[in-house]
mmCIF file of all heavy atoms in Angstrom:
data_model
loop_
_atom_site.group_PDB
_atom_site.id
_atom_site.type_symbol
_atom_site.label_atom_id
_atom_site.label_comp_id
_atom_site.label_asym_id
_atom_site.label_seq_id
_atom_site.Cartn_x
_atom_site.Cartn_y
_atom_site.Cartn_z
ATOM 1 N N TRP M 276 4.235 19.143 10.418
ATOM 2 C CA TRP M 276 5.551 18.829 10.973
ATOM 3 C C TRP M 276 6.585 18.621 9.876
ATOM 4 O O TRP M 276 7.740 19.032 10.014
ATOM 5 C CB TRP M 276 5.454 17.576 11.853
ATOM 6 C CG TRP M 276 4.632 17.782 13.088
ATOM 7 C CD1 TRP M 276 4.405 18.949 13.753
ATOM 8 C CD2 TRP M 276 3.890 16.785 13.795
ATOM 9 N NE1 TRP M 276 3.577 18.749 14.835
ATOM 10 C CE2 TRP M 276 3.250 17.427 14.896
ATOM 11 C CE3 TRP M 276 3.705 15.412 13.629
ATOM 12 C CZ2 TRP M 276 2.452 16.739 15.802
ATOM 13 C CZ3 TRP M 276 2.901 14.721 14.538
ATOM 14 C CH2 TRP M 276 2.291 15.375 15.603
ATOM 15 N N ALA M 277 6.187 17.959 8.779
ATOM 16 C CA ALA M 277 7.121 17.719 7.676
ATOM 17 C C ALA M 277 7.562 19.035 7.040
ATOM 18 O O ALA M 277 8.732 19.204 6.693
ATOM 19 C CB ALA M 277 6.480 16.808 6.633
ATOM 20 N N ASP M 278 6.616 19.973 6.889
ATOM 21 C CA ASP M 278 6.963 21.285 6.330
ATOM 22 C C ASP M 278 7.908 22.050 7.253
ATOM 23 O O ASP M 278 8.798 22.771 6.798
ATOM 24 C CB ASP M 278 5.700 22.116 6.094
ATOM 25 C CG ASP M 278 4.879 21.607 4.912
ATOM 26 O OD1 ASP M 278 5.435 20.830 4.112
ATOM 27 O OD2 ASP M 278 3.704 21.985 4.801
ATOM 28 N N LYS M 279 7.720 21.876 8.556
ATOM 29 C CA LYS M 279 8.507 22.634 9.524
ATOM 30 C C LYS M 279 9.887 22.021 9.769
ATOM 31 O O LYS M 279 10.892 22.738 9.846
ATOM 32 C CB LYS M 279 7.738 22.718 10.852
ATOM 33 C CG LYS M 279 8.423 23.588 11.903
ATOM 34 C CD LYS M 279 7.549 23.727 13.144
ATOM 35 C CE LYS M 279 8.227 24.625 14.183
ATOM 36 N NZ LYS M 279 7.376 24.785 15.404
ATOM 37 N N TYR M 280 9.941 20.683 9.868
ATOM 38 C CA TYR M 280 11.192 20.031 10.289
ATOM 39 C C TYR M 280 11.884 19.216 9.181
ATOM 40 O O TYR M 280 12.987 18.726 9.411
ATOM 41 C CB TYR M 280 10.925 19.095 11.471
ATOM 42 C CG TYR M 280 10.377 19.805 12.683
ATOM 43 C CD1 TYR M 280 9.061 19.611 13.083
ATOM 44 C CD2 TYR M 280 11.173 20.670 13.429
ATOM 45 C CE1 TYR M 280 8.546 20.255 14.197
ATOM 46 C CE2 TYR M 280 10.666 21.320 14.552
ATOM 47 C CZ TYR M 280 9.348 21.112 14.930
ATOM 48 O OH TYR M 280 8.852 21.746 16.033
ATOM 49 N N SER M 281 11.236 19.005 8.044
ATOM 50 C CA SER M 281 11.705 18.210 6.902
ATOM 51 C C SER M 281 11.089 16.810 6.934
ATOM 52 O O SER M 281 10.815 16.258 8.011
ATOM 53 C CB SER M 281 13.233 18.083 6.836
ATOM 54 O OG SER M 281 13.713 17.040 7.663
ATOM 55 N N ASN M 282 10.877 16.259 5.744
ATOM 56 C CA ASN M 282 10.269 14.931 5.617
ATOM 57 C C ASN M 282 11.078 13.854 6.321
ATOM 58 O O ASN M 282 10.538 13.002 7.026
ATOM 59 C CB ASN M 282 10.122 14.565 4.128
ATOM 60 C CG ASN M 282 8.986 15.307 3.453
ATOM 61 O OD1 ASN M 282 7.901 15.439 3.997
ATOM 62 N ND2 ASN M 282 9.246 15.810 2.257
ATOM 63 N N MET M 283 12.395 13.873 6.124
ATOM 64 C CA MET M 283 13.247 12.828 6.679
ATOM 65 C C MET M 283 13.226 12.821 8.203
ATOM 66 O O MET M 283 13.098 11.767 8.840
ATOM 67 C CB MET M 283 14.684 12.999 6.170
ATOM 68 C CG MET M 283 15.640 11.905 6.623
ATOM 69 S SD MET M 283 15.288 10.299 5.845
ATOM 70 C CE MET M 283 15.973 10.564 4.212
ATOM 71 N N ARG M 284 13.361 13.990 8.768
ATOM 72 C CA ARG M 284 13.417 14.092 10.238
ATOM 73 C C ARG M 284 12.119 13.598 10.878
ATOM 74 O O ARG M 284 12.134 12.864 11.871
ATOM 75 C CB ARG M 284 13.694 15.548 10.627
ATOM 76 C CG ARG M 284 13.949 15.770 12.104
ATOM 77 C CD ARG M 284 14.329 17.218 12.323
ATOM 78 N NE ARG M 284 14.446 17.530 13.741
ATOM 79 C CZ ARG M 284 14.710 18.752 14.211
ATOM 80 N NH1 ARG M 284 14.907 19.741 13.350
ATOM 81 N NH2 ARG M 284 14.791 18.978 15.500
ATOM 82 N N VAL M 285 10.989 13.977 10.305
ATOM 83 C CA VAL M 285 9.697 13.604 10.874
ATOM 84 C C VAL M 285 9.414 12.119 10.664
ATOM 85 O O VAL M 285 8.811 11.460 11.522
ATOM 86 C CB VAL M 285 8.577 14.474 10.254
ATOM 87 C CG1 VAL M 285 7.200 13.982 10.689
ATOM 88 C CG2 VAL M 285 8.768 15.930 10.659
ATOM 89 N N PHE M 286 9.894 11.570 9.531
ATOM 90 C CA PHE M 286 9.640 10.154 9.267
ATOM 91 C C PHE M 286 10.300 9.262 10.314
ATOM 92 O O PHE M 286 9.804 8.170 10.599
ATOM 93 C CB PHE M 286 10.133 9.768 7.866
ATOM 94 C CG PHE M 286 9.730 8.377 7.468
ATOM 95 C CD1 PHE M 286 8.451 8.131 6.989
ATOM 96 C CD2 PHE M 286 10.595 7.316 7.601
ATOM 97 C CE1 PHE M 286 8.060 6.854 6.644
ATOM 98 C CE2 PHE M 286 10.223 6.024 7.259
ATOM 99 C CZ PHE M 286 8.942 5.798 6.774
ATOM 100 N N ILE M 287 11.401 9.702 10.873
ATOM 101 C CA ILE M 287 12.077 8.916 11.921
ATOM 102 C C ILE M 287 11.119 8.663 13.075
ATOM 103 O O ILE M 287 11.033 7.536 13.599
ATOM 104 C CB ILE M 287 13.340 9.649 12.415
ATOM 105 C CG1 ILE M 287 14.370 9.740 11.281
ATOM 106 C CG2 ILE M 287 13.943 8.950 13.629
ATOM 107 C CD1 ILE M 287 15.494 10.715 11.546
ATOM 108 N N TRP M 288 10.368 9.680 13.474
ATOM 109 C CA TRP M 288 9.420 9.525 14.581
ATOM 110 C C TRP M 288 8.257 8.615 14.186
ATOM 111 O O TRP M 288 7.771 7.825 15.010
ATOM 112 C CB TRP M 288 8.908 10.897 15.016
ATOM 113 C CG TRP M 288 9.985 11.719 15.653
ATOM 114 C CD1 TRP M 288 10.660 12.768 15.101
ATOM 115 C CD2 TRP M 288 10.547 11.520 16.954
ATOM 116 N NE1 TRP M 288 11.608 13.240 15.977
ATOM 117 C CE2 TRP M 288 11.559 12.498 17.130
ATOM 118 C CE3 TRP M 288 10.304 10.620 17.990
ATOM 119 C CZ2 TRP M 288 12.311 12.597 18.298
ATOM 120 C CZ3 TRP M 288 11.050 10.720 19.162
ATOM 121 C CH2 TRP M 288 12.033 11.696 19.301
ATOM 122 N N ALA M 289 7.812 8.722 12.932
ATOM 123 C CA ALA M 289 6.744 7.834 12.463
ATOM 124 C C ALA M 289 7.203 6.377 12.505
ATOM 125 O O ALA M 289 6.462 5.483 12.920
ATOM 126 C CB ALA M 289 6.330 8.222 11.045
#
Side-chain angles (χ1 to χ4, degrees):
W276 293 334
D278 288 344
K279 185 175 181 179
Y280 299 110
S281 84
N282 285 317
M283 184 69 77
R284 187 175 174 183
V285 172
F286 188 80
I287 295 166
W288 292 104

